[in-house]
Amino acid sequence: MGDARAAAGTTGTARGPSLIVDHVSKTYLAHRGARVAHPAVVDVSFEIAPGASVGLVGASGSGKSTLAKMIIGAERPTAGRIRYGDLAIERIRRRELRSLHRRVQMVFQDPYGALNPMHTVEYVVTRPCVNFLGLSRAAATARAHELLEAVGLVPTAQFAKKLPHQLSGGQRQRVVIARALASEPELIVADEPVSMLDVSMRAGILKLLATLRETRNISLLYITHDLLSARVITDQILVLNEGQVVERGETKHVLQHPTHEYTVRLLDAVTTSALRRPGSGPA
Ligand code: ADP
Ligand code: MG
């Protein structure tokens, strides 16, 4: 384990095993009413070492969310293996999902849809502290307040009693991130965590994810269609086009020397608009 961490250039305090995605494909049999089988992910392989931060970048429909769903055991691959330590995620059983989700948490694109409108912020963050960590109600509540502070929702006493509709999109995403941290996960899969947010809030949320990842030694799979935002938060990136990895490497290197024509197009699409929005670069 120590050797693997050293080889990956990560710190010795990184937690958890490597995530191994090995020749994974997914073909949806029923493609929204169509009769033809539709390949959403085609023969994708990569690894996330403990403590590493990997970006998965591609245009809409390139298969990013399908990969994310397979990694958290919500969809099954048509072919290939997904391993997380002893867990064979490609054929995980329902009763093993709980132990996977204690260790691998997800942050979704839509912070509106991810929160139950009837649940207070405190309830949302306290519940996984009870369920996953087995804390008493009082200890879980105290921990929930610590987590709210960690994601910048201060004063926590004020935010704790609020319902989702009383929060901004950025604040809701902070609640979702606090909930994801509750089980002390080793890996977070963040699927376009800022793309539905107001442009002014994006840099703050990305910076928060980057800080939390470093201070808590969490590995990250950061999914985005915005190649430039990957620069803020990832060390390595994979570029996905129509379900296939067309380019991969160190984030800085790929951004400076994209080799695939699709990567160049993705980069062109975001650099043009980034020039007009100062909030989108590294804060
Ligand atoms: P992305 O997240 O990169 O936008 P997705 O993984 O959501 O891409 O989708 C990849 C492809 O798979 C798209 O063509 C999409 O229409 C298709 N797809 C996604 N989910 C389903 C589903 N449940 N059933 C059928 N086709 C799907
Ligand atoms: Mg998606």
Side-chain angles (χ1 to χ4, degrees):
M1 193 77 107
D3 288 351
R5 282 170 189 167
T10 54
T11 62
T13 46
R15 300 175 301 124
S18 292
L19 173 78
I20 297 167
V21 175
D22 183 20
H23 295 288
V24 165
S25 297
K26 173 73 180 179
T27 298
Y28 289 108
L29 292 178
H31 177 46
R32 307 211 163 128
R35 290 182 182 207
V36 203
H38 180 75
V41 171
V42 184
D43 198 24
V44 168
S45 298
F46 65 92
E47 192 170 327
I48 303 180
S53 178
V54 175
L56 184 62
V57 187
S60 174
S62 57
K64 306 182 298 295
S65 294
T66 299
L67 260 171
K69 286 178 198 156
M70 292 192 284
I71 289 168
I72 61 159
E75 287 279 3
R76 272 182 203 262
T78 317
R81 303 183 318 149
I82 304 176
R83 295 299 156 90
Y84 193 65
D86 295 342
L87 288 171
I89 301 177
E90 78 278 5
R91 52 184 154 83
I92 196 162
R93 291 161 195 270
R94 191 176 274 272
R95 61 183 156 78
E96 293 170 317
L97 277 177
R98 194 180 139 84
S99 72
L100 176 68
H101 294 163
R102 193 184 66 70
R103 304 170 70 187
V104 180
Q105 275 286 317
M106 181 104 188
V107 173
F108 299 93
Q109 177 174 13
D110 177 10
Y112 301 81
L115 296 173
N116 184 324
M118 310 288 281
H119 290 165
T120 64
V121 167
E122 184 174 84
Y123 180 81
V124 167
V125 186
T126 302
R127 195 170 50 170
C129 297
V130 173
N131 288 349
F132 284 115
L133 305 180
L135 298 181
S136 68
R137 174 65 50 187
T141 305
R143 183 166 155 73
H145 281 257
E146 281 167 27
L147 291 167
L148 291 178
E149 186 163 356
V151 299
L153 293 174
V154 283
T156 62
Q158 187 191 314
F159 281 100
K161 303 300 171 201
K162 291 199 190 242
L163 289 166
H165 79 268
Q166 297 170 308
L167 303 173
S168 71
Q171 289 167 342
R172 284 182 220 209
Q173 199 59 302
R174 287 173 194 266
V175 174
V176 171
I177 293 168
R179 176 176 65 185
L181 293 173
S183 66
E184 296 174 345
E186 300 152 351
L187 170 66
I188 289 181
V189 177
D191 188 357
E192 309 231 30
V194 300
S195 61
M196 283 184 71
L197 301 182
D198 197 89
V199 166
S200 64
M201 293 173 179
R202 292 182 186 171
I205 297 288
L206 283 182
K207 196 154 180 258
L208 173 68
L209 277 173
T211 306
L212 291 170
R213 190 184 88 65
E214 274 163 34
T215 54
R216 291 167 190 256
N217 301 305
I218 299 171
S219 319
L220 179 70
L221 178 62
Y222 172 66
I223 298 176
T224 183
H225 62 272
D226 178 352
L227 202 43
L228 281 186
S229 73
R231 179 180 62 181
V232 185
I233 194 170
T234 68
D235 312 317
Q236 304 276 319
I237 52 171
L238 301 155
V239 180
L240 205 61
N241 181 21
E242 294 183 2
Q244 284 178 289
V245 175
V246 294
E247 182 149 7
R248 67 172 81 210
E250 251 183 69
T251 308
K252 274 187 211 142
H253 186 82
V254 173
L255 282 168
Q256 277 164 11
H257 310 284
T259 56
H260 198 280
E261 176 255 344
Y262 174 75
T263 315
V264 175
R265 268 193 288 138
L266 275 182
L267 205 49
D268 280 348
V270 288
T271 38
T272 321
S273 54
L275 293 175
R276 282 184 261 115
R277 50 179 163 95
S280 65

